[in-house]
Structure formats: structure tokens, C-alpha cells
């Protein structure tokens, strides 16, 4: 049953990056667009993402609950030592949600709309950055466990691990990945004259992902980061990244000919390969502290708890996933039987 729980951990993580990441990316696209393009993107985002944006973010709640129940020691380290970036993530998600609702449903259309727009756009930018910085802090090798060094200062324990070049670049890498997802997904919803805009933005995002990804590895290598060295020596991780790069060609081809389903399939596959490279290279040792590596499986919950949780996740998955697919189809976020040319 432990494998069932791990499957839902991976599934929740992947779906949040894919769906929640595309949500964040749409706001970043809006932030770095001209005034005319902002209006177009805003209209498209509301018509497609608006009805289902809360459903897209349910996966991070599921992920947190699973970690809390099944892997309490791992969860406690994450929550305690990286509470500052995680608090900023929570604040960003909250501000994004508030701005998303008020700028659409506020009956008074005045200058406050500009405030809502800026809140939405900047929260969409900083939230994935801090999410990426949190992950970078976990694998950066700078976490100091208080049981190993009780005399360490506040900044050394709670700020230094995530406020380093490697975690910062990891944050910007994830932000660029969100832009890539949003631009790729929105191509299928755009009118003919807008498709070129999204294609251009997708191309820029791809370049940003490649450049920032390379810079992240360089920063990790120069800092003698264990994760980076293990990543570069892991043939599966390197193979996944290489395959992700190769898939850029079929992705670009289906974008050009307007094959919406295949466009989203290849984009999702690329993200899956990148996540596999990032997580699989060091699984299950997903925390690298100064004193050593910490496995996700260390100190997991008793077998009885794992069994109950696994059964609950199976039942919940059978109820939630079909409903989510129906919801996304109803609001045209996914197209299984139709293909818009």
C-alpha cells in the first residue's frame, strides 16, 4: 500500500505543476505583455481557466495532506526549515485568488482594477519562484538541522538554505516552465491572429527554460552541490532531459499545424520528463542537509495508517479524477473528441 501512497504523491505533484503551473504562467504572460495583448490574454484566461482555477490547485492540498499523514518526519523538516518561502507561497496564492476574483466580479470598474491586475500578475510571478526556491532549498545541501547544531543562528538555519544562487535559479526555472505551459496551452484557445503571439511567447519561454536550466546546473556545480553532481552522473536523468529537448521538434510541428491535442500532450510529456529528471535523480533522498541526506521514506507512518490512507486515496481518486475530467471537458480546458483547426 506504500506504493499506492507514493503514486498519489507523484500524481499530485505532477498535476499541480501541470495545471497550477499553467495558471501561474498565464499571469506571468499577462505581466510581460503589451497593453493590447494583456486584454486578449485576460479575456482568454477568464473564459478557459476561470471556471476551474480552484480545481487546478486542489492537488497541492492533496500533496500536503499525504506528506503530513504518511511521511511526518519529512513533512516536519520541510515545514520548519523552509517555513519562510512556504509562507510567501501561501501569501502569493491568496493574493492571486483575491485579485483573480475581484478584478472580474467587482461591480465598480475604476482604478482599483489596475490594482487587481498588478496583484494578480505579480503574485503569479513570485509564487512559482518561491515554490522553486523551496525545492532548491531542499536539495541545495545547506539545511542545518538544529539537532545537529543547536547553536546555529536564525539566518543560518531559516534563510541561508533557500536564499542562495542555486535555489533562486531553481525558482526562476520553474517560473519559466510555467510560462511555457501557459503559452502552449493557450495556443489552442486563441483566434488565428492571436496564435502567432502565443507561439512567439512559447518560443521565448523555451529559450528561457533552457538557458535558466543550464545556469542552474552551472551554479550547483560551482557550489559543489551534491544533487547537481549526482544529477550529472545519472544516465536516466540525463536521458530524460535529452528526450525532453528532442521532443521540442514534434511539439513545434504540431503547434504550427494546429493539432491542439498533440500540442498539449507533448508539452505535458516534456514537463513529466523534466520532473522525472529532477526527482528521479535523487529519489527517495529528497532532502540534502549539511549533515547528510534524508529520505522521504525515513520515519514514515505506521503500516496501518499507510493502508488506511492508501485505501482512502484509491476511493477518492475514483470519485475525484472522473469528476475533474468532466469539469475540464465541460469548460473546454481539455478536448478529447474535438480538434480545432
Amino acid at each position: 500500500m506504500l506504493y499506492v501512497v507514493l503514486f498519489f504523491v507523484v500524481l499530485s505533484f505532477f498535476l499541480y505543476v501541470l495545471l497550477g503551473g499553467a495558471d501561474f504562467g498565464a499571469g506571468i504572460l499577462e505581466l510581460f505583455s503589451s497593453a493590447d495583448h494583456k486584454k486578449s490574454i485576460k479575456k482568454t484566461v477568464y473564459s478557459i481557466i476561470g471556471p476551474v482555477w480552484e480545481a487546478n490547485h486542489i492537488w497541492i492540498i492533496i500533496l500536503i495532506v499525504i506528506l503530513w499523514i504518511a511521511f511526518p518526519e519529512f513533512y516536519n523538516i520541510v515545514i520548519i526549515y523552509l517555513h519562510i518561502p512556504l509562507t510567501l507561497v501561501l501569501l502569493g496564492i491568496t493574493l492571486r485568488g483575491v485579485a483573480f476574483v475581484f478584478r472580474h466580479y467587482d461591480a465598480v470598474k475604476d482604478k482599483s482594477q489596475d490594482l487587481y491586475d498588478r496583484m494578480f500578475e505579480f503574485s503569479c510571478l513570485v509564487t512559482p519562484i518561491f515554490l522553486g526556491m523551496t525545492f532548491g532549498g531542499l536539495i541545495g545541501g545547506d539545511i542545518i538541522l538544529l539537532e545537529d547544531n543547536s547553536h546555529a543562528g536564525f539566518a543560518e538555519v531559516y534563510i541561508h538554505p533557500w536564499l542562495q544562487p542555486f535555489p533562486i535559479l531553481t525558482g526562476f526555472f520553474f517560473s519559466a516552465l510555467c510560462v511555457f505551459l501557459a503559452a502552449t496551452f493557450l495556443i489552442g484557445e486563441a483566434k488565428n491572429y492571436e496564435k502567432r503571439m502565443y507561439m512567439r511567447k512559447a518560443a521565448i519561454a523555451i529559450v528561457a527554460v533552457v538557458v535558466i536550466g543550464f545556469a542552474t546546473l552551472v551554479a550547483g556545480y560551482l557550489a559543489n552541490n551534491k544533487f547537481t553532481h549526482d544529477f550529472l552522473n545519472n544516465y536516466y536523468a540525463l536521458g530524460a532531459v535529452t528526450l525532453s529537448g528532442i521532443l521540442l521538434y514534434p511539439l513545434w510541428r504540431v503547434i504550427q499545424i494546429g493539432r491542439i491535442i498533440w500540442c498539449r500532450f507533448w508539452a505535458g510529456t516534456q514537463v513529466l520528463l523534466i520532473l522525472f529528471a529532477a526527482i528521479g535523480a535523487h529519489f527517495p533522498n529528497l532532502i540534502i542537509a549539511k549533515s547528510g541526506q534524508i529520505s522521504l521514506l525515513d520515519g514514515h507512518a505506521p503500516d496501518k495508517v499507510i493502508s488506511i490512507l492508501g485505501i482512502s486515496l484509491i476511493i477518492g481518486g475514483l470519485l475525484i479524477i472522473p469528476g475533474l475530467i468532466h469539469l475540464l471537458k465541460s469548460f473546454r480546458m481539455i478536448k478529447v473528441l474535438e480538434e480545432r483547426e
Side-chain angles (χ1 to χ4, degrees):
M1 197 59 73
L2 179 62
Y3 291 106
V4 173
V5 175
L6 288 174
F7 169 78
F8 277 95
V9 168
V10 174
L11 178 66
S12 300
F13 182 69
F14 170 65
L15 288 178
Y16 185 68
V17 170
L18 191 67
L19 301 176
D23 278 8
F24 291 129
I28 300 173
L29 280 176
E30 185 179 320
L31 175 62
F32 293 102
S33 296
S34 64
D36 291 337
H37 288 169
K38 282 180 185 287
K39 294 179 181 179
S40 173
I41 294 173
K42 185 175 179 179
K43 182 179 179 181
T44 304
V45 167
Y46 273 123
S47 63
I48 303 302
I49 298 178
V52 295
W53 70 277
E54 289 177 302
N56 291 342
H57 293 270
I58 192 176
W59 301 106
I60 193 172
I61 299 174
I62 295 175
L63 176 62
I64 291 172
V65 170
I66 295 175
L67 293 177
W68 175 43
I69 296 175
F71 310 105
E73 289 191 12
F74 182 90
Y75 174 84
N76 286 340
I77 292 175
V78 176
I79 292 298
I80 292 173
Y81 292 95
L82 294 170
H83 71 277
I84 295 177
L86 287 175
T87 300
L88 294 173
V89 167
L90 180 60
L91 179 62
I93 292 175
T94 302
L95 290 177
R96 177 192 179 278
V98 170
F100 188 84
V101 172
F102 273 85
R103 74 174 188 166
H104 185 61
Y105 293 106
D106 191 349
V108 180
K109 304 298 181 182
D110 54 16
K111 290 185 178 180
S112 62
Q113 291 294 318
D114 294 333
L115 173 62
Y116 301 145
D117 286 343
R118 299 294 86 75
M119 284 176 57
F120 176 77
E121 294 163 1
F122 281 100
S123 59
C124 283
L125 174 64
V126 301
T127 303
I129 289 177
F130 283 118
L131 278 170
M133 291 174 69
T134 300
F135 180 74
L138 286 177
I139 61 176
D142 289 319
I143 291 179
I144 299 176
L145 301 179
L146 289 176
E147 56 262 33
D148 298 324
N149 189 349
S150 59
H151 300 292
F154 180 87
E156 190 178 5
V157 175
Y158 298 113
I159 298 179
H160 182 76
W162 56 273
L163 202 58
Q164 294 293 314
F166 178 77
I168 292 172
L169 286 170
T170 303
F172 279 97
F173 174 80
F174 180 53
S175 183
L177 195 64
C178 292
V179 177
F180 162 72
L181 283 171
T184 305
F185 287 0
L186 290 175
I187 288 173
E189 308 300 334
K191 298 178 181 178
N192 290 331
Y193 67 91
E194 296 174 333
K195 285 185 178 180
R196 289 190 296 273
M197 173 189 70
Y198 287 118
M199 290 173 64
R200 184 173 63 256
K201 292 182 182 299
I204 295 173
I206 290 171
V207 173
V209 168
V210 173
V211 172
I212 298 174
F214 179 76
T216 303
L217 290 176
V218 170
Y221 185 84
L222 294 177
N224 200 27
N225 182 295
K226 178 174 175 53
F227 174 87
T228 304
H229 286 280
D230 291 345
F231 180 91
L232 294 175
N233 290 314
N234 188 301
Y235 294 114
Y236 294 106
L238 293 178
V241 172
T242 302
L243 180 57
S244 177
I246 294 173
L247 291 181
L248 287 173
Y249 176 75
L251 172 64
W252 202 248
R253 288 292 301 161
V254 296
I255 287 175
Q256 289 179 323
I257 62 178
R259 305 292 291 182
I260 300 169
I261 297 174
W262 282 105
C263 171
R264 296 174 180 180
F265 172 79
W266 288 125
T269 301
Q270 286 182 293
V271 171
L272 180 62
L273 288 169
I274 293 173
L275 294 180
F276 171 79
I279 302 298
H282 231 267
F283 188 85
N285 300 319
L286 298 181
I287 296 178
I288 303 177
K290 282 187 176 295
S291 57
Q293 303 177 54
I294 300 171
S295 171
L296 173 67
L297 305 178
D298 288 344
H300 66 73
D303 292 339
K304 188 172 183 180
V305 174
I306 295 293
S307 297
I308 295 174
L309 177 61
I311 294 171
S312 301
L313 289 171
I314 292 173
I315 296 174
L318 293 174
L319 295 174
I320 293 174
I321 294 177
L324 178 65
I325 293 174
H326 176 71
L327 178 68
L328 296 178
K329 282 187 63 179
S330 299
F331 290 101
R332 299 171 58 81
M333 278 199 68
I334 58 175
K335 299 174 174 62
V336 178
L337 300 178
E338 65 173 302
E339 181 82 15
R340 183 188 300 174
E341 298 296 336

